[in-house]
Amino acid sequence: MLLHKRDFMKVVQTCPGHNIVTFPHCPCDSRKDGHVILEVSFEKISIHACSTSGEKESQVKNFPWQLVSDYGSSDDVFHFTISKGSSDRKISLKTPYWDYMHQCFDCITEENSKSD
């Protein structure tokens, strides 16, 4: 039975839109005068630069889940750490959706660990 579940999940994970969540724009500590739109999917985390009114700009940063070394939340802030080589970069997002972001990271992290 477990084998069938894994096979099913492998097929589902290839479907467009599976585990892709796009959050409304919010302030981010890595952008001085602007906001970002966070998008999480099974394959990666994407941070789209945008204006304070939410209009997308051309800059997009994509990070595979393997680079996420830590994440967490408190009050109205969600943060995650990207580790590349010997450097770590903590990214903090001020958003009312911090709890849902945390839940999404938990679910995708768990699903990724099952497919390893």
Side-chain angles (χ1 to χ4, degrees):
M1 183 72 151
L2 183 58
L3 182 60
H4 295 294
K5 231 180 193 181
R6 272 200 193 128
D7 292 341
F8 173 76
M9 285 308 298
K10 284 181 183 178
V11 171
V12 169
Q13 291 165 355
T14 64
C15 295
H18 174 71
N19 272 352
I20 296 176
V21 178
T22 303
F23 291 92
H25 68 94
C26 64
C28 177
D29 66 346
S30 64
R31 293 204 19 109
K32 291 179 183 146
D33 297 320
H35 286 197
V36 298
I37 297 170
L38 179 71
E39 184 176 88
V40 294
S41 69
F42 184 74
E43 294 82 23
K44 63 186 176 191
I45 299 165
S46 298
I47 301 174
H48 302 266
C50 68
S51 67
T52 55
S53 62
E55 291 182 43
K56 280 189 177 181
E57 298 172 2
S58 60
Q59 187 180 12
V60 179
K61 297 287 184 180
N62 295 304
F63 304 102
W65 282 98
Q66 296 85 347
L67 296 182
V68 177
S69 61
D70 181 45
Y71 64 90
S73 57
S74 62
D75 299 325
D76 60 349
V77 176
F78 178 77
H79 65 85
F80 59 98
T81 303
I82 300 296
S83 297
K84 287 185 178 180
S86 62
S87 68
D88 292 341
R89 165 106 183 175
K90 184 175 179 179
I91 299 169
S92 296
L93 307 167
K94 185 172 175 59
T95 174
Y97 303 101
W98 60 269
D99 188 44
Y100 186 50
M101 285 180 181
H102 198 147
Q103 291 174 31
C104 289
F105 270 59
D106 283 345
C107 289
I108 294 173
T109 300
E110 180 181 343
E111 196 169 316
N112 274 331
S113 71
K114 290 178 183 176
S115 66
D116 289 340

